[in-house]
Amino acid sequence: MSVKMTLIILPVALLTLFIAMQIAKKTSGYFVRQQKAVGRIHTLADEYFSGQREVKLYRFQKRAQTEFETASRDVYEKAQKAQFYSSLPNPSTRLMNYLSYIMIVTLGFVFAGLTVGRISAFILYWNNFSRPVNDFTNITSQIMAAFASARRVFEILDLPETETDPQMVTPVASAVEGSIVFDRISFSYSSQKKLIEDMNIKVHPGQTVAIVGPTGAGKTTLMNLLLRFYDPVKGRILLDDKDIQSIEKDLLRSHFGIVLQDSWFFSGTVRENLRLGAPDASNDNIERVARAAHAHGFISRLPEGYGTRLENNASRLSQGQKQLLAIARVMLFDPQILILDEATRSVDSLTEARIRKGFDALMQGRTSFVIAHRLSTIRSADLIIVMNEGRIVEQGTHEELLACDGFYGALYHSRNAEISPVTDEV
């Protein structure tokens, strides 16, 4: 209709798009900060809810309320700015549209000599041309808000995962003998601080290996390396003379049964939780292992017995009852290699002595790793590995280590000494 008017009016569309994009960039930053503030307030709410007894016990209510109010105010301020900037594109593009209408009418008469009918048609066509641009700028705020939320999720999803090289995959039999070798293993969580250096351990099939040492010595880290939750920085770990890094993780872990210090349960019945590693186990087998783990008694007293539903990580059960369920679960799984990381930490001494009989039967003929602070529970171990600051300082049987009168002897006598004064006083 008019080349002159087209050349005059097209820069307006580009200017509208440029303004909208600049506002969107500004909005994106505020939405990112808003989502971080929302994440912070959710974290506080979760911490104070799950730790409400500690909050009350240590009279932390006022400080908790102050922290929550500060976080809430931070969310309000960041959300207010994000919403303000996210609402600017719509009025901005409308303003540019109205300015363009004025330009079309004014310049159409003055420079292009258009008639009223042509100007009306030009405005109509211009409106149809600019509408997609306006619609896009109107939803940029929603896009920016979505990106800000997705960004926090993608940061987790995009973390690199250690995968097994398909060319290195080594077939492993459905049953393993249980020979394990730690060959010159070095590992650290941070490059600034070394944890495990040049560690060598050889475990024969069927041996019970106890790992002891002070807190932070690297005992649990050693088991995490064995299960490939982490890979060593240097060295290799062999299972039946095969490098575990050449074994698929799922296949590797299918040979291990583990009882951790803190037991985890999903939302489901007691029976379903016990079947976690053995989904085809019969009800009779479930009850048999529950009796062996001394869990059948309290399970029977639950409202629906084995059909009782557990929620919120079995919050209705005590810590000791959770651990008994975890022990029963690994007994039902019947693994070829056992890892017991403070497996009886939350049970009393009498129950522990009874469970030990079940464990002794379970460990018969299996390679077992036992991490324990109670040194009395690992006296019968075939090999005791004493760790300190990521290094093996001693290894041998209980009698051999006591005879050496070294680090293990000092650790053993110090813990017995801690008990004696209390007993005498009582």
Side-chain angles (χ1 to χ4, degrees):
M1 292 181 65
S2 172
V3 176
K4 288 183 180 180
M5 287 300 300
T6 302
L7 294 176
I8 292 172
I9 209 70
L10 273 179
V12 177
L14 296 176
L15 181 60
T16 303
L17 189 59
F18 175 77
I19 292 173
M21 295 306 295
Q22 291 302 311
I23 294 174
K25 286 182 180 179
K26 192 79 171 177
T27 304
S28 176
Y30 281 115
F31 271 121
V32 169
R33 288 191 280 271
Q34 174 189 316
Q35 289 306 115
K36 286 183 178 179
V38 170
R40 171 62 179 158
I41 201 170
H42 284 174
T43 300
L44 286 176
D46 180 64
E47 287 178 351
Y48 295 148
F49 179 77
S50 58
Q52 55 183 300
R53 283 186 293 186
E54 286 77 6
V55 169
K56 293 177 180 178
L57 178 64
Y58 292 101
R59 300 181 299 281
F60 194 74
Q61 294 98 318
K62 289 185 179 180
R63 183 174 167 185
Q65 184 175 351
T66 301
E67 287 188 5
F68 191 84
E69 288 175 352
T70 302
S72 180
R73 188 163 51 252
D74 187 43
V75 171
Y76 170 78
E77 292 172 355
K78 287 180 169 58
Q80 187 181 46
K81 290 180 180 178
Q83 294 303 320
F84 172 77
Y85 279 99
S86 68
S87 65
L88 288 181
N90 192 4
S92 300
T93 53
R94 287 177 179 273
L95 176 62
M96 296 302 296
N97 283 342
Y98 294 142
L99 290 175
S100 63
Y101 296 157
I102 295 172
M103 289 177 61
I104 291 171
V105 173
T106 305
L107 299 178
F109 278 120
V110 176
F111 293 104
L114 298 179
T115 63
V116 174
R118 281 180 172 270
I119 288 175
S120 300
F122 200 93
I123 290 176
L124 177 63
Y125 292 142
W126 168 253
N127 190 47
N128 290 338
F129 174 78
S130 61
R131 183 179 299 147
V133 177
N134 297 338
D135 291 342
F136 175 74
T137 56
N138 288 338
I139 64 170
T140 51
S141 60
Q142 300 174 41
I143 295 174
M144 292 300 106
F147 276 146
S149 300
R151 185 177 182 179
R152 292 165 60 82
V153 178
F154 292 150
E155 285 178 358
I156 303 299
L157 296 179
D158 292 341
L159 288 173
E161 182 177 357
T162 306
E163 296 291 346
T164 304
D165 187 348
Q167 297 180 353
M168 292 179 58
V169 172
T170 304
V172 178
S174 57
V176 296
E177 293 182 5
S179 170
I180 295 173
V181 176
F182 291 82
D183 183 20
R184 297 182 179 179
I185 294 296
S186 295
F187 175 78
S188 64
Y189 293 103
S190 171
S191 57
Q192 286 78 25
K193 185 178 181 181
K194 295 180 179 179
L195 179 59
I196 295 176
E197 282 190 90
D198 198 28
M199 178 174 289
N200 294 282
I201 303 173
K202 187 171 184 180
V203 180
H204 298 289
Q207 271 193 325
T208 297
V209 179
I211 305 174
V212 300
T215 301
K219 304 184 294 296
T220 301
T221 299
L222 203 62
M223 296 300 98
N224 286 336
L225 291 174
L226 181 57
L227 292 166
R228 286 204 69 196
F229 291 122
Y230 303 97
D231 284 332
V233 177
K234 293 180 183 178
R236 58 182 186 156
I237 302 174
L238 305 178
L239 172 61
D240 289 354
D241 298 323
K242 297 180 179 68
D243 191 336
I244 64 170
Q245 292 196 37
S246 67
I247 305 173
E248 292 182 356
K249 290 182 179 180
D250 288 345
L251 181 58
L252 172 69
R253 293 166 186 166
S254 67
H255 299 298
F256 289 86
I258 183 167
V259 180
L260 297 171
Q261 299 179 27
D262 299 308
S263 305
W264 173 85
F265 299 92
F266 62 85
S267 295
T269 64
V270 173
R271 187 177 287 108
E272 290 170 345
N273 272 281
L274 291 177
R275 280 179 175 153
L276 184 63
D280 299 325
S282 66
N283 291 341
D284 290 339
N285 277 339
I286 291 174
E287 184 173 332
R288 176 180 59 80
V289 297
R291 289 181 184 278
H294 295 272
H296 178 74
F298 79 83
I299 293 175
S300 302
R301 292 191 294 271
L302 294 175
E304 298 176 39
Y306 287 86
T308 303
R309 191 168 182 81
L310 304 178
E311 302 287 352
N312 299 322
N313 194 22
S315 57
R316 68 192 300 174
L317 301 181
S318 69
Q319 196 65 31
Q321 289 172 333
K322 288 184 187 180
Q323 208 135 22
L324 292 177
L325 282 184
I327 292 168
R329 181 165 60 188
V330 77
M331 285 182 172
L332 186 65
F333 179 40
D334 196 21
Q336 291 150 329
I337 304 173
L338 276 173
I339 297 176
L340 308 177
D341 189 352
E342 290 291 337
T344 56
R345 183 188 65 166
S346 299
V347 299
D348 59 88
S349 300
L350 181 60
T351 304
E352 181 186 13
R354 293 172 178 171
I355 294 173
R356 286 300 308 174
K357 296 179 181 179
F359 270 147
D360 290 342
L362 183 64
M363 290 189 292
Q364 192 69 34
R366 291 178 171 83
T367 304
S368 304
F369 293 89
V370 181
I371 299 174
H373 283 101
R374 298 179 191 173
L375 301 185
S376 59
T377 62
I378 46 92
R379 288 181 180 179
S380 59
D382 300 310
L383 175 66
I384 298 175
I385 295 173
V386 186
M387 295 183 64
N388 186 33
E389 297 182 354
R391 294 179 177 273
I392 296 178
V393 293
E394 292 176 339
Q395 54 182 313
T397 63
H398 176 72
E399 290 77 14
E400 291 172 348
L401 293 174
L402 283 182
C404 292
D405 197 22
F407 190 88
Y408 177 82
L411 196 66
Y412 182 80
H413 293 306
S414 67
R415 290 186 178 172
N416 285 343
E418 288 172 4
I419 299 172
S420 299
V422 178
T423 306
D424 294 341
E425 185 178 332
V426 174

